[in-house]
Amino acid sequence: MEVSLPVSEQEAIDRFLGAPGEESFRDLFRTIVPRLVRYFRTRGCDRELAEDLTQEVMVTVYHQSGRLRKKELFRPWLFKIVKNTLLQHVRRTGRKVATVALTPGVHEPGGVIVDPLAASRFNEWMAWLEPDERQIMTLRYVEELEYHEIADVLEMPTGTVQWKVFHSKRKLAARFGKNSA
Amino acid sequence: MEGVSLEKEAGGAIRKEFSLMNSEHGFSERQWLEFLDGTIEPAEQAQVLEHLAGCADCATLASELVVWRTRLLEEGQGLREAFSVPEEAFQSMLSSSIERIRSAEPAGVRSSFGWTAAEGIIVLRFLMEPICGPGTARATIELAVQRSAGEGSRVTGSNWRLFVGNLSDAAAWICGSAFGRLVYRAGLGLAIEEG
């Protein structure tokens, strides 16, 4: 039985959590893998490493999905796995990983290259924020998580997340102005 | 003027939170963000709009926040597009992940009260037939066996979980997600012996 129609991310999540077989896993894989690869790439991983870590995350998702009590919690749960996978990799290899890649085109020891694509204005702006603010702003504006989901991932109150988003924008406005290109 | 509020967290720690609870303006960060995101309650929205019409400082602030929200959304969209995954890489990752999942399937339960995989399949067939019919149940089970064990092989305790996942997946497509969940839970509830 082949799935030919594209499914939305939420449909894929609901279907996988309801019946975690290979077909539903394939659909889930297709919808969320770009997020995972992007997360690792924007934190200084090269393409090969990002894809390896993504596979680790997806295998973990498959094996541990039974522990998820509510499907509404899938995204924060997923990003916790992603965050922990990256931390475990850093501990195994002893490499430093940026909260968001800040310096484009830099070759780090061990051959981890920050991709020039990371040299976007977004990263330029994030360089002016504190690490936790960068993390929150990236989860909000790149990964499109809701405030309460970010709060769950980072284990902080939702109000704190909102406060940091608000004041991060004010910092950016103060630094770059309203009319900068 | 900024105010400070204290919030007690789990474990008794007190966290200091700053809020823009200006007695003159009276809007919190939450209200500002919800106003800009379009998720604010209508009554609060009306209050904000009424205030903005008469307060130059807040109108300037709102303007700044609107500009930066737009910029961040656009740059976020650009980053999402810049890091798209080529199809070839995607298929390679998917195949590799499925291979890892199959090779990591846990062994079946060794129990004096355990079922063989063949008996487990019969139980699941009895469960499925009244709902989707004998022919559909048989065909669905055969498909799940092929996907889980491969051509010419059989379902055993070691690939039982994968088989149940594939069967429930197919059952969900045929008769709905509730039926798929039922098949999944019933299948995993059986103690299937190794071998």
Side-chain angles (χ1 to χ4, degrees):
Chain A
M1 189 180 303
E2 296 296 331
V3 177
S4 58
L5 296 175
V7 295
S8 69
E9 182 175 285
Q10 192 57 53
E11 285 171 346
I13 291 169
D14 291 346
R15 199 172 143 229
F16 175 73
L17 294 179
E22 278 191 23
E23 278 302 320
S24 58
F25 179 76
R26 285 172 197 271
D27 284 342
L28 182 71
F29 199 95
R30 183 167 286 281
T31 58
I32 71 173
V33 151
R35 274 186 186 270
L36 308 186
V37 171
R38 183 172 61 233
Y39 181 97
F40 293 122
R41 292 292 301 280
T42 55
R43 280 152 182 81
C45 300
D46 62 17
R47 186 183 290 278
E48 189 179 338
L49 178 59
E51 290 175 3
D52 283 346
L53 294 177
T54 295
Q55 288 178 55
E56 268 189 55
V57 170
M58 290 308 295
V59 172
T60 302
V61 165
Y62 180 87
H63 286 301
Q64 296 188 8
S65 62
R67 297 184 189 180
L68 189 62
R69 284 168 297 167
K70 294 181 185 178
K71 62 183 179 183
E72 296 79 22
L73 299 177
F74 180 84
R75 283 189 194 87
W77 174 75
L78 173 68
F79 274 95
K80 281 183 187 172
I81 294 173
V82 169
K83 199 174 66 157
N84 291 335
T85 300
L86 185 57
L87 279 174
Q88 285 164 15
H89 169 77
V90 168
R91 284 180 193 139
R92 277 198 307 266
T93 60
R95 288 180 184 167
K96 284 189 180 178
V97 176
T99 306
V100 171
L102 298 178
T103 311
V106 172
H107 288 248
E108 295 185 15
V112 175
I113 302 166
V114 177
D115 195 285
L117 282 174
S120 67
R121 289 197 301 171
F122 188 88
N123 280 346
E124 181 192 348
W125 298 334
M126 294 301 107
W128 290 94
L129 300 178
E130 297 298 319
D132 58 337
E133 292 169 337
R134 283 201 291 271
Q135 177 88 301
I136 289 171
M137 295 297 272
T138 303
L139 289 173
R140 176 73 181 156
Y141 290 103
V142 180
E143 305 306 336
E144 299 185 295
L145 295 190
E146 300 295 334
Y147 298 118
H148 68 275
E149 291 177 325
I150 297 171
D152 201 350
V153 173
L154 300 180
E155 296 174 352
M156 61 175 62
T158 303
T160 303
V161 173
Q162 291 173 318
W163 184 86
K164 287 182 182 285
V165 169
F166 179 88
H167 286 281
S168 296
K169 287 181 185 174
R170 295 207 70 188
K171 278 189 189 180
L172 293 175
R175 171 63 183 84
F176 295 99
K178 185 175 146 184
N179 298 316
S180 66
Chain B
M1 182 171 78
E2 292 188 349
V4 176
S5 64
L6 300 179
E7 184 174 299
K8 193 170 183 182
E9 289 186 321
I14 303 293
R15 187 184 189 94
K16 206 188 289 186
E17 287 214 4
F18 293 92
S19 63
L20 196 66
M21 296 297 289
N22 186 309
S23 59
E24 227 179 297
H25 300 278
F27 298 113
S28 69
E29 288 86 354
R30 174 193 65 78
Q31 288 172 306
W32 277 114
L33 292 176
E34 288 180 359
F35 174 72
L36 295 170
D37 292 341
T39 57
I40 196 169
E41 292 292 330
E44 287 185 317
Q45 183 188 39
Q47 289 173 359
V48 173
L49 287 171
E50 184 183 350
H51 178 75
L52 289 178
C55 177
D57 286 344
C58 286
T60 300
L61 173 61
S63 177
E64 275 180 1
L65 294 174
V66 165
V67 166
W68 276 97
R69 180 177 181 273
T70 303
R71 284 178 180 165
L72 288 162
L73 286 172
E74 286 172 355
E75 286 297 315
Q77 173 70 19
L79 278 177
R80 287 192 292 278
E81 289 166 1
F83 288 109
S84 59
V85 179
E87 184 64 21
E88 194 180 316
F90 174 83
Q91 290 298 336
S92 172
M93 281 194 285
L94 177 59
S95 301
S96 187
S97 296
I98 289 179
E99 202 46 54
R100 287 170 69 170
I101 288 169
R102 286 178 178 172
S103 64
E105 283 296 303
V109 174
R110 183 174 294 282
S111 164
S112 58
F113 300 101
W115 304 77
T116 65
E119 290 168 339
I121 289 174
I122 292 171
V123 171
L124 290 177
R125 190 166 158 180
F126 283 153
L127 175 69
M128 293 175 69
E129 281 183 357
I131 298 172
C132 61
T136 302
R138 186 180 64 247
T140 307
I141 288 171
E142 284 172 4
L143 181 65
V145 170
Q146 281 176 20
R147 283 193 168 155
S148 311
E151 286 288 338
S153 296
R154 58 191 183 93
V155 175
T156 63
S158 59
N159 57 17
W160 178 254
R161 186 172 184 271
L162 181 62
F163 164 74
V164 170
N166 284 334
L167 182 63
S168 62
D169 200 15
W173 271 105
I174 297 167
C175 292
S177 57
F179 183 53
R181 280 196 299 275
L182 179 64
V183 169
Y184 184 68
R185 288 174 185 168
L188 289 191
L190 298 171
I192 304 296
E193 295 177 338
E194 284 182 23

